[in-house]
Amino acid sequence: QVQLVESGGGLVQAGGSLRLSCAASESIGNINEMGWYRQTPAKSREWVATISWSGRPNYADSVKGRFTISRDNAKNTVYLHMNSLKAEDTAVYYCRVVADRIQYWGQGTQVTVSS
């Protein structure tokens, strides 16, 4: 059974940093794309960043210059380094992995930024 295990969320003050991790089980197959989304009670889930198998990243305008997505292909793991956090970054963050044209979602991890 494929699993995505997220970690790294928490409470941080505005201006601080956090690193999220998402590890996919070995049985997931051939990974194409890995990425992060976030959701608040007031908004639908929104895209944050993705990274291709070759390592090319893309970012939403709202996080560009502050967040960095990276991946370790040997570990089937994607990271989201979040710097200069703002109160509006508060959300549940979900990783998404596309493997063999099937998408998988993590369980979500809460990030709370206090102003």
Side-chain angles (χ1 to χ4, degrees), residues 7-82:
S7 61
L11 173 65
V12 64
Q13 288 188 333
S17 299
L18 281 175
R19 188 186 79 160
L20 306 182
S21 300
C22 174
S25 54
E26 291 184 4
S27 59
I28 197 169
N30 297 311
I31 296 176
N32 308 115
E33 182 181 272
M34 308 181 88
W36 292 92
Y37 290 70
R38 64 187 182 187
Q39 187 169 17
T40 66
K43 293 183 179 181
S44 57
R45 192 170 297 187
E46 66 172 358
W47 168 67
V48 175
T50 49
I51 187 166
S52 68
W53 180 247
S54 63
R56 184 170 65 180
N58 281 291
Y59 301 96
D61 287 342
S62 59
V63 306
K64 202 172 292 184
R66 300 187 298 120
F67 291 10
T68 301
I69 189 170
S70 62
R71 62 191 287 174
D72 185 333
N73 292 338
K75 296 181 179 180
N76 284 354
T77 300
V78 61
Y79 305 95
L80 187 67
H81 305 259
M82 304 184 292

Side-chain angles (χ1 to χ4, degrees), residues 78-91:
V78 61
Y79 305 95
L80 187 67
H81 305 259
M82 304 184 292
N83 297 319
S84 303
L85 282 161
K86 306 175 182 179
E88 51 263 43
D89 294 318
T90 296

